[in-house]
Amino acid sequence: MSLFRNAQFEISVAKPNGLPPPGGPEVAFAGRSNAGKSSAINTLCDHVRLAFVSKTPGRTQLINFFRLRNGAVLVDLPGYGYAEVPEAIRLQWQRLLEDYLTRRPNLVGLVLIMDSRHPLKDRDRVMIGWFAPSGRPIHVLLTKSDKLTRSEQSATLAAVRKELAPLGKQVTVQLFSSLKKTGIEEAERIVGSWLSVPDDAGPGDTAAP
């Protein structure tokens, strides 16, 4: 059974004080508003509209929680970095993202979505800067890889891995395509390793790697 398949929507929140009590390990998905985050989530979960794919990037302003069959939670964070979003809303999203990423006690890892044609933008680096000090793992999905040639794919993958190499084993990077359905197994294997806990451990016993 796929790790992400049969994910069920649980709750949406707009402010840090609206977050539900921690219950089970959480894996956050974050990315620029036009990086293909919602499409990646839908592809991983084998669900056409689990995460809303907006025709206007930057419209999703909520943190959305989806419960997986194993009790873990997939957390879809608001897209960031879209230029046409009003400054006041951008600052609100920033506070929401930073608070969640730096304070959520049961957050075990971050899946960071980047368009493979435009990786490691300034806001991506900010996200890494917020989360990396926790020591928890970061997995980078380089989406829309089908739009690159094989040589471009290899070059992009190598370049991103090289820039993030100083973070060591904390960061992993892969190519991904929602259109071609490629990279699903690798993403499941890596994220699944974050959720591995002893059989006798309850949700409250889950420790960050």
Side-chain angles (χ1 to χ4, degrees), residues 14 16 44 49 64 67 79 95 100 109-110 120 127 135 138 146 161 167 179-180 185 190 199:
L44 288 169
R49 287 184 60 84
N64 298 299
R67 182 74 62 175
R95 288 192 294 269
Y100 177 80
L110 172 66
L120 289 171
M127 295 293 285
I138 300 170
D146 56 279
R161 283 176 171 168
L167 292 173
L179 181 64
K180 299 294 186 180
E185 294 81 5
I190 291 172
D199 291 339

Side-chain angles (χ1 to χ4, degrees), residues 82-113:
Y82 190 61
E84 295 184 15
V85 173
E87 182 65 18
I89 291 186
R90 182 158 46 236
L91 290 174
Q92 176 184 324
W93 291 355
Q94 179 174 319
R95 288 192 294 269
L96 185 61
L97 288 168
E98 183 176 11
D99 187 88
Y100 177 80
L101 290 173
T102 59
R103 300 185 182 184
R104 190 68 170 170
N106 57 326
L107 178 59
V108 299
L110 172 66
V111 178
L112 190 55
I113 311 296

Side-chain angles (χ1 to χ4, degrees), residues 3-138:
L3 171 65
F4 298 105
R5 189 171 296 175
N6 296 320
Q8 297 290 324
F9 172 77
E10 195 160 88
I11 191 173
S12 293
V13 300
K15 297 179 180 179
N17 60 11
L19 290 170
E26 294 176 359
V27 175
F29 283 67
R32 289 175 57 83
S33 298
N34 54 354
K37 175 171 59 67
S38 294
S39 295
I41 292 173
N42 288 338
T43 298
L44 288 169
C45 295
D46 194 24
H47 195 299
V48 177
R49 287 184 60 84
L50 183 67
F52 179 63
V53 181
S54 174
K55 293 182 180 179
T56 304
R59 287 287 175 84
T60 304
Q61 303 176 23
L62 305 172
I63 293 182
N64 298 299
F65 290 73
F66 302 97
R67 182 74 62 175
L68 305 182
R69 289 173 62 91
N70 65 357
V73 182
L74 184 161
V75 182
D76 181 15
L77 300 177
Y80 56 84
Y82 190 61
E84 295 184 15
V85 173
E87 182 65 18
I89 291 186
R90 182 158 46 236
L91 290 174
Q92 176 184 324
W93 291 355
Q94 179 174 319
R95 288 192 294 269
L96 185 61
L97 288 168
E98 183 176 11
D99 187 88
Y100 177 80
L101 290 173
T102 59
R103 300 185 182 184
R104 190 68 170 170
N106 57 326
L107 178 59
V108 299
L110 172 66
V111 178
L112 190 55
I113 311 296
M114 300 183 197
D115 186 328
S116 59
R117 299 166 298 175
H118 313 287
L120 289 171
K121 295 293 187 180
D122 289 344
R123 298 279 180 176
D124 298 324
R125 293 186 174 93
V126 168
M127 295 293 285
I128 293 171
W130 282 342
F131 194 71
S134 72
R136 298 166 184 168
I138 300 170

